[in-house]
Amino acid sequence: MTGDYLFDPQPGTKYDKDDDHIAQIMELLGEMPKSLALSGKYSHDMFNRRGELRHIQRLRFWPLLSVLKEKYLMPAEEAELLTSFLLPMLHYYPDSRATAAELLKHPWLEGVVVQGDLEIAKQNHEREVERLRVLQDGKDGKDSKDGKDGKDGKDGKAAGPEKPPASGSSGNSNGNGTSKGKGKDSASALEEILKLGKPVAGMVGMGRV
């Protein structure tokens, strides 16, 4: 979306990279619950007994919605929709975070096409083109054979009397039955498919915020 990392911690003179990482998380999401801050193996290295950062005292709180609107100049409606998609993934407590199944139903993903969808569409397109090409080749071969047989019959090379059409058969088949109309439809469908050109490649999705 923006080309920037959501968190990009850097060490300072009085704090290390881990301190800055935690500070950036708190600046975006708000104060970390004291129970969570003091529950880790290295909590006492980073937090005091009140759950405050030991090495970084001043935090510049900047909520995600404000970051998108003020830093990246994103329209308010778009920023609110993206924020509602991202924040459930960033909840402090893992058990409270949104699941992948829940996020798939989020409005922000409506209309998003991923690489897998494009590959499936391309495979289906290629299979259909090949199927229609085989049908067309079969029709051309049958027409060529029927034309040769008709010529032989005209020259007197085909023995035997002409057989009358079977009861209920169409008199307009010309020896091809219904395959003539079907072949024509297949050829038209093939032309329409080929007009589509090369399938679109690429991916549309979420980048780093």
Side-chain angles (χ1 to χ4, degrees):
M1 292 295 295
T2 65
D4 295 333
Y5 290 106
L6 184 57
F7 304 113
D8 187 21
Q10 302 295 327
T13 56
K14 296 182 179 180
Y15 55 86
D16 61 21
K17 191 173 182 178
D18 290 335
D19 291 317
D20 190 40
H21 196 173
I22 296 296
Q24 290 186 21
I25 292 173
M26 294 173 66
E27 287 173 338
L28 189 78
L29 304 179
E31 292 284 355
M32 184 179 295
K34 180 179 177 180
S35 59
L36 180 63
L38 299 179
S39 64
K41 181 178 180 180
Y42 301 103
S43 292
H44 293 288
D45 295 335
M46 307 181 71
F47 297 94
N48 59 30
R49 63 180 61 187
R50 294 187 298 274
E52 301 168 343
L53 287 172
R54 286 186 179 276
H55 308 293
I56 301 177
Q57 281 72 42
R58 294 183 180 181
L59 297 178
R60 296 173 295 176
F61 293 101
W62 203 7
L64 180 58
L65 179 60
S66 298
V67 172
L68 294 176
K69 292 194 296 184
E70 297 170 10
K71 181 178 180 180
Y72 298 105
L73 305 179
M74 190 175 291
E77 184 177 353
E78 185 178 347
E80 290 170 2
L81 185 62
L82 180 55
T83 298
S84 68
F85 176 72
L86 293 175
L87 282 183
M89 292 185 277
L90 301 173
H91 201 283
Y92 276 122
Y93 291 99
D95 293 342
S96 299
R97 293 172 190 163
T99 65
E102 292 171 341
L103 292 171
L104 281 174
K105 302 175 183 177
H106 194 279
W108 190 79
L109 287 179
E110 290 181 1
V112 173
V113 180
V114 297
Q115 186 66 36
D117 294 333
L118 292 173
E119 291 174 353
I120 291 174
K122 179 181 178 182
Q123 292 170 2
N124 291 339
H125 170 74
E126 292 174 346
R127 280 196 293 265
E128 182 65 11
V129 170
E130 181 61 24
R131 183 183 73 83
L132 294 174
R133 184 173 285 117
V134 169
L135 288 174
Q136 181 66 17
D137 291 344
K139 175 185 176 299
D140 292 343
K142 181 174 176 58
D143 288 346
S144 177
K145 181 178 183 299
D146 290 345
K148 183 178 180 181
D149 291 343
K151 183 178 180 181
D152 291 343
K154 184 177 180 181
D155 293 340
K157 296 179 180 179
E162 181 180 354
K163 292 183 179 180
S167 176
S169 64
S170 172
N172 297 324
S173 64
N174 294 324
N176 291 334
T178 60
S179 63
K180 182 176 181 180
K182 184 176 180 182
K184 184 177 181 181
D185 293 341
S186 299
S188 299
L190 174 60
E191 291 174 359
E192 292 299 319
I193 290 292
L194 294 177
K195 286 178 183 178
L196 295 176
K198 185 178 180 180
V200 177
M203 177 176 179
V204 180
M206 187 184 75
R208 297 189 304 274
V209 177

